[in-house]
Amino acid sequence: MIEYATKSLDFTPHDTKWIAGSARIVCCGISPSSKGAIRIYELERDGTKDLFSDLSFRSQGIKCTTFGASRSGEQLAMGDYSGSLTICDLERCMNNNKNDNTTNHEIFSVQSHEGIVNAIDGIGGGSSSACGAPELVTGGKDGCVRIWDPRVDHAVVTLNPDKSSSARDCWSVALETRTTMRNDR
């Protein structure tokens, strides 16, 4: 691997994603003031260019992200430290004036877990990798796994631990993208 560019960050990054079909990356995490931080970069010949930067993008730090259920590749689903699941339109973020209402980039938002959303994945929504309805899966500090359809404001499937007092964090979730079943004999 060859290092293309180096950037110093003024926040703790938790997740970085390549924006498909572009020379852009989005980096999300938590600022020193415990706010959700986001920065969007575009790769250029002589390094990177900052397209968008906000150290108080969300009221809580951003823990995990996915483009998996995005129809256009510009909608980023994110889980945060307060347990919220939010889908944001990154094009609106970059095109809006900083003085505008900072929540007008949100497409969907719901309280998904009690405590931090540790993991997220998505599928569908007409993306190039899959068709069908957009679906998201989240795993949280509360030990629950929930499947979401952003067209409704509640989980369509919830898997709870037996006892909440002894529940362990859920650290990883995934949705399958294969369209054919394999017979493992």
Side-chain angles (χ1 to χ4, degrees), residues 123 129 175-182 184:
I123 190 172
S129 64
L175 289 171
E176 181 61 58
T177 59
R178 287 188 305 182
T179 56
T180 59
M181 297 292 287
R182 186 178 69 187
D184 292 329

Side-chain angles (χ1 to χ4, degrees), residues 29-42:
I30 189 167
S31 70
S33 62
S34 298
K35 304 284 187 191
I38 185 169
R39 187 152 295 145
I40 302 171
Y41 298 104
E42 185 166 50

Side-chain angles (χ1 to χ4, degrees), residues 115-163:
I116 299 171
V117 179
N118 288 320
I120 189 169
D121 193 20
I123 190 172
S127 67
S128 61
S129 64
C131 56
E135 295 173 345
L136 294 162
V137 61
T138 58
K141 182 176 173 64
D142 56 8
C144 297
V145 173
R146 293 197 170 96
I147 299 176
W148 302 89
D149 179 338
R151 299 172 298 175
V152 297
D153 63 354
H154 58 277
V156 294
V157 174
T158 299
L159 304 172
N160 292 316
D162 283 340
K163 297 177 183 175

